[in-house]
Amino acid sequence: MRAEEKLLLSALEKREVVVERVDSRLVAFGLGDGPSEHDATENELERLKTCDAVLVRCLSHSRAYYLSRWLEGAGIPAVSPHQSIATCGDKMLTSAALREAGIPIPETRIAFTPEAALEAIEEMGYPVVLKPLFGSWGRLLALVNDRHAAEAILEHKKTLGGYVHGVFYLQEYVDKPGRDIRSFVVGDQTVAAIYRKSEHWITNTARGGEATNCAITSAIDRISVAAAKAVGGGIVAIDLLESLDGRLLVSEVNHTPEFRNSIETTRVDVAGRMVDYTVEVAVNGKSGR
């Protein structure tokens, strides 16, 4: 378990919540009207049958994606809900949901061939950020500064092949003040926010970014809650970019956020807030927006 899951289990224990830990690697579920004796290994199935809600903390997006959909069909609320996991796990779907909700995002384009991608990059103007549709922790990001770099990176992706490299997600490079903002939304509340500072253009804490407290202004709260609602709600982390002209833009939304670097920094019991929301979902029987 990561530090986050240990913190969540500790918060659950403090609240005397009855918890069943279910290992997704041991689950084999069937598709039908709901849980049956054929849906999973006996021990894991019995655990799922007793759940009033399931806090999904799978590191694997594919497991979270399919398990949350099965839980939804079985009438067991998942936190976060399947819609949120499905949307946040795909950067194109995230951008589309945000744009349709009227939330400001960097200029973003999708292309299916290196030739179309190069043309789009030239139209957008350098520099441009090239991202994989799936993935986290700032991995496989590329800052494309000129045509030579664009041609080389696009050729590499074409040669690597596969579904992940076959769709080109292009995003405007936002000249930010050496930092970005990560806010945490639990239900309909922005519970904490941090600055992630780095001399490198990638500011993720997983890549060495330094976390410091960020006061939750009305603007940060408003855009964070709206972004969470747009993707399906639940428990999410919002990555915000501050442009030099003062705009706040939503870059990404994450459905299984890490928060170990945010507790001491913000003095907010993030794990406790997540657990309280999950208990609320268990009582009310509904997760998400």
Side-chain angles (χ1 to χ4, degrees):
M1 290 191 297
R2 296 174 294 177
E4 284 78 8
E5 284 66 56
K6 293 177 182 178
L7 289 165
L8 288 165
L9 285 170
S10 177
L12 287 159
E13 183 179 351
K14 287 179 182 177
R15 289 158 175 77
E16 298 183 344
V17 178
V18 178
V19 179
E20 291 289 347
R21 287 171 52 190
V22 178
D23 189 340
S24 62
R25 294 172 298 180
L26 304 179
V27 174
F29 58 85
L31 299 174
D33 294 332
S36 74
E37 66 273 19
H38 303 297
D39 283 347
T41 56
E42 184 176 353
N43 289 341
E44 302 304 304
L45 174 61
E46 290 304 315
R47 291 177 181 180
L48 285 171
K49 281 183 176 179
T50 66
C51 294
D52 297 305
V54 175
L55 178 57
V56 180
R57 294 292 304 180
C58 299
L59 191 58
S60 163
H61 169 66
S62 59
R63 292 179 191 172
Y65 178 83
Y66 291 113
L67 279 170
S68 61
R69 180 63 183 89
W70 178 78
L71 288 166
E72 182 181 271
I76 303 171
V79 179
S80 291
H82 175 71
Q83 180 186 349
S84 183
I85 291 172
T87 303
C88 295
D90 184 315
K91 291 182 179 64
M92 185 274 169
L93 297 182
T94 301
S95 296
L98 294 170
R99 176 66 78 185
E100 289 163 7
I103 297 167
I105 63 174
E107 180 184 357
T108 303
R109 300 195 189 185
I110 302 292
F112 301 109
T113 65
E115 295 77 18
L118 182 60
E119 183 176 348
I121 291 171
E122 294 274 302
E123 291 176 357
M124 293 172 71
Y126 298 99
V128 168
V129 178
L130 187 60
K131 297 181 177 182
L133 283 178
F134 313 100
S136 57
W137 299 327
R139 294 175 300 189
L140 295 180
L141 304 186
L143 182 60
V144 183
N145 288 308
D146 55 41
R147 185 181 180 95
H148 294 301
E151 290 174 339
I153 294 169
L154 294 172
E155 181 183 0
H156 290 167
K157 289 180 70 68
K158 180 180 179 181
T159 303
L160 287 169
Y163 181 75
V164 172
H165 297 291
V167 180
F168 302 91
Y169 178 92
L170 312 168
Q171 196 170 71
E172 167 196 3
Y173 173 72
V174 177
D175 191 7
K176 55 193 179 185
R179 69 186 187 191
D180 67 4
I181 298 170
R182 166 159 286 195
S183 61
F184 298 87
V185 178
V186 178
D188 59 0
Q189 294 186 325
T190 308
V191 301
I194 60 171
Y195 289 117
R196 301 185 299 183
K197 300 180 180 180
S198 176
E199 294 182 2
H200 195 276
W201 71 275
I202 298 176
T203 52
N204 301 58
T205 54
R207 296 283 297 272
E210 176 190 358
T212 60
N213 184 50
C214 173
I216 302 173
T217 64
S218 59
I220 290 174
D221 178 50
R222 184 167 54 250
I223 196 171
S224 298
V225 171
K229 183 178 180 180
V231 299
I235 296 174
V236 295
I238 317 294
D239 291 345
L240 300 170
L241 303 177
E242 305 166 281
S243 68
L244 295 182
D245 59 3
R247 295 175 298 151
L248 276 178
L249 307 171
V250 177
S251 173
E252 297 181 17
V253 185
N254 303 272
H255 64 78
T256 310
E258 295 180 340
F259 53 86
R260 71 188 74 180
N261 296 314
S262 305
I263 298 172
E264 290 187 9
T265 303
T266 64
R267 299 187 183 278
V268 174
D269 180 9
V270 179
R273 298 295 292 268
M274 290 181 173
V275 164
D276 290 340
Y277 173 73
T278 304
V279 171
E280 180 184 334
V281 169
V283 171
N284 296 330
K286 185 177 181 181
S287 173
R289 63 188 185 188

PDB file of all heavy atoms in Angstrom, residues 223-261:
ATOM      1  N   ILE A 223     -13.622  27.434  -9.621  1.00  0.00           N
ATOM      2  CA  ILE A 223     -13.227  26.667 -10.801  1.00  0.00           C
ATOM      3  C   ILE A 223     -12.976  25.201 -10.445  1.00  0.00           C
ATOM      4  O   ILE A 223     -13.246  24.295 -11.248  1.00  0.00           O
ATOM      5  CB  ILE A 223     -11.988  27.304 -11.475  1.00  0.00           C
ATOM      6  CG1 ILE A 223     -11.818  26.744 -12.891  1.00  0.00           C
ATOM      7  CG2 ILE A 223     -10.724  27.084 -10.649  1.00  0.00           C
ATOM      8  CD1 ILE A 223     -10.745  27.474 -13.696  1.00  0.00           C
ATOM      9  N   SER A 224     -12.492  24.945  -9.229  1.00  0.00           N
ATOM     10  CA  SER A 224     -12.217  23.567  -8.812  1.00  0.00           C
ATOM     11  C   SER A 224     -13.514  22.772  -8.671  1.00  0.00           C
ATOM     12  O   SER A 224     -13.619  21.636  -9.164  1.00  0.00           O
ATOM     13  CB  SER A 224     -11.445  23.557  -7.492  1.00  0.00           C
ATOM     14  OG  SER A 224     -10.197  24.193  -7.623  1.00  0.00           O
ATOM     15  N   VAL A 225     -14.487  23.340  -7.989  1.00  0.00           N
ATOM     16  CA  VAL A 225     -15.766  22.655  -7.797  1.00  0.00           C
ATOM     17  C   VAL A 225     -16.471  22.451  -9.141  1.00  0.00           C
ATOM     18  O   VAL A 225     -17.048  21.387  -9.400  1.00  0.00           O
ATOM     19  CB  VAL A 225     -16.666  23.439  -6.815  1.00  0.00           C
ATOM     20  CG1 VAL A 225     -18.071  22.859  -6.774  1.00  0.00           C
ATOM     21  CG2 VAL A 225     -16.047  23.438  -5.413  1.00  0.00           C
ATOM     22  N   ALA A 226     -16.400  23.447  -9.998  1.00  0.00           N
ATOM     23  CA  ALA A 226     -17.035  23.329 -11.321  1.00  0.00           C
ATOM     24  C   ALA A 226     -16.366  22.237 -12.150  1.00  0.00           C
ATOM     25  O   ALA A 226     -17.040  21.462 -12.841  1.00  0.00           O
ATOM     26  CB  ALA A 226     -16.962  24.663 -12.054  1.00  0.00           C
ATOM     27  N   ALA A 227     -15.039  22.150 -12.074  1.00  0.00           N
ATOM     28  CA  ALA A 227     -14.317  21.122 -12.824  1.00  0.00           C
ATOM     29  C   ALA A 227     -14.662  19.736 -12.304  1.00  0.00           C
ATOM     30  O   ALA A 227     -14.852  18.785 -13.082  1.00  0.00           O
ATOM     31  CB  ALA A 227     -12.812  21.368 -12.742  1.00  0.00           C
ATOM     32  N   ALA A 228     -14.737  19.592 -10.981  1.00  0.00           N
ATOM     33  CA  ALA A 228     -15.093  18.299 -10.396  1.00  0.00           C
ATOM     34  C   ALA A 228     -16.484  17.871 -10.842  1.00  0.00           C
ATOM     35  O   ALA A 228     -16.717  16.710 -11.199  1.00  0.00           O
ATOM     36  CB  ALA A 228     -15.021  18.380  -8.873  1.00  0.00           C
ATOM     37  N   LYS A 229     -17.409  18.806 -10.832  1.00  0.00           N
ATOM     38  CA  LYS A 229     -18.782  18.496 -11.257  1.00  0.00           C
ATOM     39  C   LYS A 229     -18.817  18.104 -12.737  1.00  0.00           C
ATOM     40  O   LYS A 229     -19.539  17.181 -13.126  1.00  0.00           O
ATOM     41  CB  LYS A 229     -19.681  19.698 -11.012  1.00  0.00           C
ATOM     42  CG  LYS A 229     -21.142  19.456 -11.358  1.00  0.00           C
ATOM     43  CD  LYS A 229     -22.002  20.675 -11.039  1.00  0.00           C
ATOM     44  CE  LYS A 229     -23.469  20.417 -11.389  1.00  0.00           C
ATOM     45  NZ  LYS A 229     -24.317  21.608 -11.091  1.00  0.00           N
ATOM     46  N   ALA A 230     -18.016  18.773 -13.545  1.00  0.00           N
ATOM     47  CA  ALA A 230     -18.023  18.528 -14.987  1.00  0.00           C
ATOM     48  C   ALA A 230     -17.596  17.107 -15.329  1.00  0.00           C
ATOM     49  O   ALA A 230     -18.110  16.503 -16.280  1.00  0.00           O
ATOM     50  CB  ALA A 230     -17.114  19.529 -15.694  1.00  0.00           C
ATOM     51  N   VAL A 231     -16.651  16.561 -14.576  1.00  0.00           N
ATOM     52  CA  VAL A 231     -16.145  15.221 -14.908  1.00  0.00           C
ATOM     53  C   VAL A 231     -16.931  14.104 -14.234  1.00  0.00           C
ATOM     54  O   VAL A 231     -16.734  12.926 -14.549  1.00  0.00           O
ATOM     55  CB  VAL A 231     -14.652  15.070 -14.548  1.00  0.00           C
ATOM     56  CG1 VAL A 231     -13.817  16.062 -15.330  1.00  0.00           C
ATOM     57  CG2 VAL A 231     -14.418  15.223 -13.046  1.00  0.00           C
ATOM     58  N   GLY A 232     -17.814  14.436 -13.296  1.00  0.00           N
ATOM     59  CA  GLY A 232     -18.621  13.395 -12.667  1.00  0.00           C
ATOM     60  C   GLY A 232     -18.598  13.394 -11.157  1.00  0.00           C
ATOM     61  O   GLY A 232     -19.293  12.614 -10.517  1.00  0.00           O
ATOM     62  N   GLY A 233     -17.777  14.246 -10.547  1.00  0.00           N
ATOM     63  CA  GLY A 233     -17.794  14.391  -9.089  1.00  0.00           C
ATOM     64  C   GLY A 233     -17.067  13.284  -8.350  1.00  0.00           C
ATOM     65  O   GLY A 233     -16.289  12.521  -8.905  1.00  0.00           O
ATOM     66  N   GLY A 234     -17.310  13.232  -7.044  1.00  0.00           N
ATOM     67  CA  GLY A 234     -16.633  12.264  -6.184  1.00  0.00           C
ATOM     68  C   GLY A 234     -15.457  12.912  -5.489  1.00  0.00           C
ATOM     69  O   GLY A 234     -15.564  14.006  -4.933  1.00  0.00           O
ATOM     70  N   ILE A 235     -14.313  12.251  -5.528  1.00  0.00           N
ATOM     71  CA  ILE A 235     -13.072  12.769  -4.944  1.00  0.00           C
ATOM     72  C   ILE A 235     -12.063  12.926  -6.071  1.00  0.00           C
ATOM     73  O   ILE A 235     -11.654  11.938  -6.686  1.00  0.00           O
ATOM     74  CB  ILE A 235     -12.518  11.820  -3.865  1.00  0.00           C
ATOM     75  CG1 ILE A 235     -13.490  11.713  -2.695  1.00  0.00           C
ATOM     76  CG2 ILE A 235     -11.154  12.302  -3.386  1.00  0.00           C
ATOM     77  CD1 ILE A 235     -13.090  10.672  -1.644  1.00  0.00           C
ATOM     78  N   VAL A 236     -11.658  14.160  -6.351  1.00  0.00           N
ATOM     79  CA  VAL A 236     -10.747  14.410  -7.463  1.00  0.00           C
ATOM     80  C   VAL A 236      -9.742  15.492  -7.087  1.00  0.00           C
ATOM     81  O   VAL A 236      -9.961  16.265  -6.146  1.00  0.00           O
ATOM     82  CB  VAL A 236     -11.499  14.841  -8.749  1.00  0.00           C
ATOM     83  CG1 VAL A 236     -12.376  13.721  -9.278  1.00  0.00           C
ATOM     84  CG2 VAL A 236     -12.325  16.096  -8.499  1.00  0.00           C
ATOM     85  N   ALA A 237      -8.646  15.531  -7.817  1.00  0.00           N
ATOM     86  CA  ALA A 237      -7.658  16.598  -7.692  1.00  0.00           C
ATOM     87  C   ALA A 237      -7.629  17.365  -9.008  1.00  0.00           C
ATOM     88  O   ALA A 237      -7.641  16.764 -10.089  1.00  0.00           O
ATOM     89  CB  ALA A 237      -6.281  16.042  -7.370  1.00  0.00           C
ATOM     90  N   ILE A 238      -7.609  18.681  -8.896  1.00  0.00           N
ATOM     91  CA  ILE A 238      -7.641  19.548 -10.068  1.00  0.00           C
ATOM     92  C   ILE A 238      -6.275  20.199 -10.237  1.00  0.00           C
ATOM     93  O   ILE A 238      -5.746  20.798  -9.294  1.00  0.00           O
ATOM     94  CB  ILE A 238      -8.704  20.665  -9.914  1.00  0.00           C
ATOM     95  CG1 ILE A 238     -10.016  20.117  -9.324  1.00  0.00           C
ATOM     96  CG2 ILE A 238      -8.928  21.366 -11.239  1.00  0.00           C
ATOM     97  CD1 ILE A 238     -10.743  19.150 -10.188  1.00  0.00           C
ATOM     98  N   ASP A 239      -5.704  20.100 -11.429  1.00  0.00           N
ATOM     99  CA  ASP A 239      -4.448  20.772 -11.729  1.00  0.00           C
ATOM    100  C   ASP A 239      -4.756  22.086 -12.435  1.00  0.00           C
ATOM    101  O   ASP A 239      -5.333  22.089 -13.536  1.00  0.00           O
ATOM    102  CB  ASP A 239      -3.549  19.894 -12.601  1.00  0.00           C
ATOM    103  CG  ASP A 239      -3.032  18.681 -11.844  1.00  0.00           C
ATOM    104  OD1 ASP A 239      -3.131  18.663 -10.599  1.00  0.00           O
ATOM    105  OD2 ASP A 239      -2.534  17.747 -12.496  1.00  0.00           O
ATOM    106  N   LEU A 240      -4.371  23.187 -11.793  1.00  0.00           N
ATOM    107  CA  LEU A 240      -4.667  24.520 -12.300  1.00  0.00           C
ATOM    108  C   LEU A 240      -3.387  25.219 -12.740  1.00  0.00           C
ATOM    109  O   LEU A 240      -2.355  25.126 -12.066  1.00  0.00           O
ATOM    110  CB  LEU A 240      -5.344  25.368 -11.219  1.00  0.00           C
ATOM    111  CG  LEU A 240      -6.675  24.856 -10.663  1.00  0.00           C
ATOM    112  CD1 LEU A 240      -7.085  25.669  -9.445  1.00  0.00           C
ATOM    113  CD2 LEU A 240      -7.753  24.923 -11.734  1.00  0.00           C
ATOM    114  N   LEU A 241      -3.471  25.934 -13.847  1.00  0.00           N
ATOM    115  CA  LEU A 241      -2.358  26.731 -14.350  1.00  0.00           C
ATOM    116  C   LEU A 241      -2.710  28.205 -14.234  1.00  0.00           C
ATOM    117  O   LEU A 241      -3.826  28.617 -14.575  1.00  0.00           O
ATOM    118  CB  LEU A 241      -2.070  26.388 -15.815  1.00  0.00           C
ATOM    119  CG  LEU A 241      -1.772  24.917 -16.139  1.00  0.00           C
ATOM    120  CD1 LEU A 241      -1.581  24.746 -17.639  1.00  0.00           C
ATOM    121  CD2 LEU A 241      -0.544  24.435 -15.387  1.00  0.00           C
ATOM    122  N   GLU A 242      -1.754  28.983 -13.744  1.00  0.00           N
ATOM    123  CA  GLU A 242      -1.924  30.430 -13.672  1.00  0.00           C
ATOM    124  C   GLU A 242      -1.192  31.055 -14.857  1.00  0.00           C
ATOM    125  O   GLU A 242       0.027  30.962 -14.949  1.00  0.00           O
ATOM    126  CB  GLU A 242      -1.316  30.982 -12.386  1.00  0.00           C
ATOM    127  CG  GLU A 242      -1.825  30.364 -11.107  1.00  0.00           C
ATOM    128  CD  GLU A 242      -0.925  30.729  -9.939  1.00  0.00           C
ATOM    129  OE1 GLU A 242       0.152  30.105  -9.802  1.00  0.00           O
ATOM    130  OE2 GLU A 242      -1.289  31.654  -9.190  1.00  0.00           O
ATOM    131  N   SER A 243      -1.928  31.684 -15.738  1.00  0.00           N
ATOM    132  CA  SER A 243      -1.276  32.352 -16.858  1.00  0.00           C
ATOM    133  C   SER A 243      -0.718  33.690 -16.394  1.00  0.00           C
ATOM    134  O   SER A 243      -1.142  34.233 -15.368  1.00  0.00           O
ATOM    135  CB  SER A 243      -2.271  32.559 -18.007  1.00  0.00           C
ATOM    136  OG  SER A 243      -3.265  33.494 -17.628  1.00  0.00           O
ATOM    137  N   LEU A 244       0.231  34.212 -17.134  1.00  0.00           N
ATOM    138  CA  LEU A 244       0.856  35.476 -16.745  1.00  0.00           C
ATOM    139  C   LEU A 244      -0.115  36.648 -16.813  1.00  0.00           C
ATOM    140  O   LEU A 244       0.127  37.695 -16.202  1.00  0.00           O
ATOM    141  CB  LEU A 244       2.077  35.742 -17.623  1.00  0.00           C
ATOM    142  CG  LEU A 244       3.232  34.733 -17.472  1.00  0.00           C
ATOM    143  CD1 LEU A 244       4.406  35.137 -18.358  1.00  0.00           C
ATOM    144  CD2 LEU A 244       3.681  34.637 -16.015  1.00  0.00           C
ATOM    145  N   ASP A 245      -1.228  36.484 -17.550  1.00  0.00           N
ATOM    146  CA  ASP A 245      -2.217  37.564 -17.609  1.00  0.00           C
ATOM    147  C   ASP A 245      -3.314  37.391 -16.564  1.00  0.00           C
ATOM    148  O   ASP A 245      -4.349  38.064 -16.601  1.00  0.00           O
ATOM    149  CB  ASP A 245      -2.838  37.664 -19.007  1.00  0.00           C
ATOM    150  CG  ASP A 245      -3.537  36.384 -19.440  1.00  0.00           C
ATOM    151  OD1 ASP A 245      -3.600  35.431 -18.628  1.00  0.00           O
ATOM    152  OD2 ASP A 245      -4.021  36.316 -20.585  1.00  0.00           O
ATOM    153  N   GLY A 246      -3.095  36.449 -15.607  1.00  0.00           N
ATOM    154  CA  GLY A 246      -3.995  36.336 -14.465  1.00  0.00           C
ATOM    155  C   GLY A 246      -5.125  35.328 -14.596  1.00  0.00           C
ATOM    156  O   GLY A 246      -5.931  35.186 -13.679  1.00  0.00           O
ATOM    157  N   ARG A 247      -5.184  34.596 -15.695  1.00  0.00           N
ATOM    158  CA  ARG A 247      -6.247  33.604 -15.860  1.00  0.00           C
ATOM    159  C   ARG A 247      -5.915  32.310 -15.109  1.00  0.00           C
ATOM    160  O   ARG A 247      -4.756  31.956 -14.944  1.00  0.00           O
ATOM    161  CB  ARG A 247      -6.453  33.273 -17.328  1.00  0.00           C
ATOM    162  CG  ARG A 247      -6.968  34.404 -18.197  1.00  0.00           C
ATOM    163  CD  ARG A 247      -7.010  33.956 -19.650  1.00  0.00           C
ATOM    164  NE  ARG A 247      -5.678  33.619 -20.139  1.00  0.00           N
ATOM    165  CZ  ARG A 247      -5.425  32.719 -21.097  1.00  0.00           C
ATOM    166  NH1 ARG A 247      -6.426  32.035 -21.647  1.00  0.00           N
ATOM    167  NH2 ARG A 247      -4.192  32.487 -21.490  1.00  0.00           N
ATOM    168  N   LEU A 248      -6.952  31.612 -14.662  1.00  0.00           N
ATOM    169  CA  LEU A 248      -6.822  30.263 -14.123  1.00  0.00           C
ATOM    170  C   LEU A 248      -7.362  29.292 -15.159  1.00  0.00           C
ATOM    171  O   LEU A 248      -8.493  29.433 -15.632  1.00  0.00           O
ATOM    172  CB  LEU A 248      -7.619  30.113 -12.823  1.00  0.00           C
ATOM    173  CG  LEU A 248      -6.967  30.564 -11.519  1.00  0.00           C
ATOM    174  CD1 LEU A 248      -7.943  30.367 -10.363  1.00  0.00           C
ATOM    175  CD2 LEU A 248      -5.679  29.792 -11.248  1.00  0.00           C
ATOM    176  N   LEU A 249      -6.544  28.297 -15.520  1.00  0.00           N
ATOM    177  CA  LEU A 249      -6.938  27.297 -16.507  1.00  0.00           C
ATOM    178  C   LEU A 249      -6.829  25.913 -15.890  1.00  0.00           C
ATOM    179  O   LEU A 249      -5.891  25.631 -15.139  1.00  0.00           O
ATOM    180  CB  LEU A 249      -6.028  27.368 -17.737  1.00  0.00           C
ATOM    181  CG  LEU A 249      -5.872  28.732 -18.421  1.00  0.00           C
ATOM    182  CD1 LEU A 249      -4.771  28.670 -19.474  1.00  0.00           C
ATOM    183  CD2 LEU A 249      -7.182  29.166 -19.044  1.00  0.00           C
ATOM    184  N   VAL A 250      -7.769  25.033 -16.207  1.00  0.00           N
ATOM    185  CA  VAL A 250      -7.703  23.658 -15.731  1.00  0.00           C
ATOM    186  C   VAL A 250      -6.921  22.834 -16.736  1.00  0.00           C
ATOM    187  O   VAL A 250      -7.297  22.736 -17.907  1.00  0.00           O
ATOM    188  CB  VAL A 250      -9.109  23.054 -15.529  1.00  0.00           C
ATOM    189  CG1 VAL A 250      -8.999  21.593 -15.099  1.00  0.00           C
ATOM    190  CG2 VAL A 250      -9.886  23.847 -14.487  1.00  0.00           C
ATOM    191  N   SER A 251      -5.834  22.249 -16.263  1.00  0.00           N
ATOM    192  CA  SER A 251      -4.995  21.431 -17.136  1.00  0.00           C
ATOM    193  C   SER A 251      -5.453  19.980 -17.148  1.00  0.00           C
ATOM    194  O   SER A 251      -5.630  19.379 -18.209  1.00  0.00           O
ATOM    195  CB  SER A 251      -3.541  21.507 -16.676  1.00  0.00           C
ATOM    196  OG  SER A 251      -2.725  20.605 -17.391  1.00  0.00           O
ATOM    197  N   GLU A 252      -5.626  19.393 -15.951  1.00  0.00           N
ATOM    198  CA  GLU A 252      -6.033  17.996 -15.837  1.00  0.00           C
ATOM    199  C   GLU A 252      -6.872  17.817 -14.581  1.00  0.00           C
ATOM    200  O   GLU A 252      -6.862  18.653 -13.674  1.00  0.00           O
ATOM    201  CB  GLU A 252      -4.809  17.072 -15.766  1.00  0.00           C
ATOM    202  CG  GLU A 252      -3.927  17.086 -16.996  1.00  0.00           C
ATOM    203  CD  GLU A 252      -2.742  16.130 -16.879  1.00  0.00           C
ATOM    204  OE1 GLU A 252      -2.788  15.247 -15.996  1.00  0.00           O
ATOM    205  OE2 GLU A 252      -1.783  16.273 -17.657  1.00  0.00           O
ATOM    206  N   VAL A 253      -7.581  16.682 -14.533  1.00  0.00           N
ATOM    207  CA  VAL A 253      -8.336  16.282 -13.338  1.00  0.00           C
ATOM    208  C   VAL A 253      -7.986  14.823 -13.049  1.00  0.00           C
ATOM    209  O   VAL A 253      -7.977  13.990 -13.960  1.00  0.00           O
ATOM    210  CB  VAL A 253      -9.855  16.439 -13.533  1.00  0.00           C
ATOM    211  CG1 VAL A 253     -10.592  16.124 -12.233  1.00  0.00           C
ATOM    212  CG2 VAL A 253     -10.204  17.846 -14.014  1.00  0.00           C
ATOM    213  N   ASN A 254      -7.684  14.517 -11.789  1.00  0.00           N
ATOM    214  CA  ASN A 254      -7.231  13.179 -11.402  1.00  0.00           C
ATOM    215  C   ASN A 254      -8.242  12.518 -10.475  1.00  0.00           C
ATOM    216  O   ASN A 254      -8.676  13.135  -9.498  1.00  0.00           O
ATOM    217  CB  ASN A 254      -5.871  13.282 -10.695  1.00  0.00           C
ATOM    218  CG  ASN A 254      -4.840  13.967 -11.571  1.00  0.00           C
ATOM    219  OD1 ASN A 254      -4.161  13.345 -12.356  1.00  0.00           O
ATOM    220  ND2 ASN A 254      -4.740  15.296 -11.445  1.00  0.00           N
ATOM    221  N   HIS A 255      -8.588  11.260 -10.747  1.00  0.00           N
ATOM    222  CA  HIS A 255      -9.650  10.592  -9.985  1.00  0.00           C
ATOM    223  C   HIS A 255      -9.143   9.787  -8.796  1.00  0.00           C
ATOM    224  O   HIS A 255      -9.940   9.392  -7.938  1.00  0.00           O
ATOM    225  CB  HIS A 255     -10.472   9.680 -10.903  1.00  0.00           C
ATOM    226  CG  HIS A 255      -9.710   8.536 -11.506  1.00  0.00           C
ATOM    227  ND1 HIS A 255      -9.409   7.397 -10.806  1.00  0.00           N
ATOM    228  CD2 HIS A 255      -9.195   8.371 -12.747  1.00  0.00           C
ATOM    229  CE1 HIS A 255      -8.739   6.568 -11.589  1.00  0.00           C
ATOM    230  NE2 HIS A 255      -8.585   7.139 -12.771  1.00  0.00           N
ATOM    231  N   THR A 256      -7.872   9.487  -8.706  1.00  0.00           N
ATOM    232  CA  THR A 256      -7.328   8.766  -7.545  1.00  0.00           C
ATOM    233  C   THR A 256      -6.098   9.532  -7.057  1.00  0.00           C
ATOM    234  O   THR A 256      -4.968   9.077  -7.205  1.00  0.00           O
ATOM    235  CB  THR A 256      -6.954   7.318  -7.909  1.00  0.00           C
ATOM    236  OG1 THR A 256      -8.046   6.693  -8.590  1.00  0.00           O
ATOM    237  CG2 THR A 256      -6.641   6.496  -6.651  1.00  0.00           C
ATOM    238  N   PRO A 257      -6.314  10.710  -6.503  1.00  0.00           N
ATOM    239  CA  PRO A 257      -5.173  11.589  -6.217  1.00  0.00           C
ATOM    240  C   PRO A 257      -4.310  11.119  -5.052  1.00  0.00           C
ATOM    241  O   PRO A 257      -4.797  10.543  -4.083  1.00  0.00           O
ATOM    242  CB  PRO A 257      -5.850  12.928  -5.871  1.00  0.00           C
ATOM    243  CG  PRO A 257      -7.197  12.542  -5.349  1.00  0.00           C
ATOM    244  CD  PRO A 257      -7.602  11.338  -6.145  1.00  0.00           C
ATOM    245  N   GLU A 258      -3.026  11.374  -5.191  1.00  0.00           N
ATOM    246  CA  GLU A 258      -2.107  11.217  -4.072  1.00  0.00           C
ATOM    247  C   GLU A 258      -2.122  12.525  -3.272  1.00  0.00           C
ATOM    248  O   GLU A 258      -2.283  13.599  -3.850  1.00  0.00           O
ATOM    249  CB  GLU A 258      -0.700  10.906  -4.578  1.00  0.00           C
ATOM    250  CG  GLU A 258      -0.624   9.569  -5.296  1.00  0.00           C
ATOM    251  CD  GLU A 258       0.779   9.257  -5.808  1.00  0.00           C
ATOM    252  OE1 GLU A 258       1.582  10.202  -5.951  1.00  0.00           O
ATOM    253  OE2 GLU A 258       1.070   8.077  -6.062  1.00  0.00           O
ATOM    254  N   PHE A 259      -1.939  12.413  -1.965  1.00  0.00           N
ATOM    255  CA  PHE A 259      -2.039  13.620  -1.132  1.00  0.00           C
ATOM    256  C   PHE A 259      -1.050  13.634   0.021  1.00  0.00           C
ATOM    257  O   PHE A 259      -1.136  14.474   0.918  1.00  0.00           O
ATOM    258  CB  PHE A 259      -3.470  13.763  -0.592  1.00  0.00           C
ATOM    259  CG  PHE A 259      -3.986  12.541   0.116  1.00  0.00           C
ATOM    260  CD1 PHE A 259      -3.744  12.327   1.465  1.00  0.00           C
ATOM    261  CD2 PHE A 259      -4.722  11.579  -0.573  1.00  0.00           C
ATOM    262  CE1 PHE A 259      -4.215  11.198   2.123  1.00  0.00           C
ATOM    263  CE2 PHE A 259      -5.198  10.436   0.074  1.00  0.00           C
ATOM    264  CZ  PHE A 259      -4.945  10.250   1.429  1.00  0.00           C
ATOM    265  N   ARG A 260      -0.085  12.730   0.013  1.00  0.00           N
ATOM    266  CA  ARG A 260       0.855  12.638   1.139  1.00  0.00           C
ATOM    267  C   ARG A 260       1.638  13.935   1.341  1.00  0.00           C
ATOM    268  O   ARG A 260       2.006  14.260   2.468  1.00  0.00           O
ATOM    269  CB  ARG A 260       1.817  11.472   0.907  1.00  0.00           C
ATOM    270  CG  ARG A 260       2.834  11.705  -0.192  1.00  0.00           C
ATOM    271  CD  ARG A 260       3.636  10.478  -0.519  1.00  0.00           C
ATOM    272  NE  ARG A 260       2.853   9.499  -1.262  1.00  0.00           N
ATOM    273  CZ  ARG A 260       3.323   8.343  -1.671  1.00  0.00           C
ATOM    274  NH1 ARG A 260       4.576   8.013  -1.391  1.00  0.00           N
ATOM    275  NH2 ARG A 260       2.564   7.509  -2.349  1.00  0.00           N
ATOM    276  N   ASN A 261       1.882  14.671   0.245  1.00  0.00           N
ATOM    277  CA  ASN A 261       2.657  15.903   0.344  1.00  0.00           C
ATOM    278  C   ASN A 261       1.802  17.123   0.688  1.00  0.00           C
ATOM    279  O   ASN A 261       2.321  18.238   0.754  1.00  0.00           O
ATOM    280  CB  ASN A 261       3.385  16.177  -0.980  1.00  0.00           C
ATOM    281  CG  ASN A 261       4.410  15.114  -1.309  1.00  0.00           C
ATOM    282  OD1 ASN A 261       5.188  14.717  -0.455  1.00  0.00           O
ATOM    283  ND2 ASN A 261       4.413  14.640  -2.550  1.00  0.00           N
TER     284      ASN A 261
END
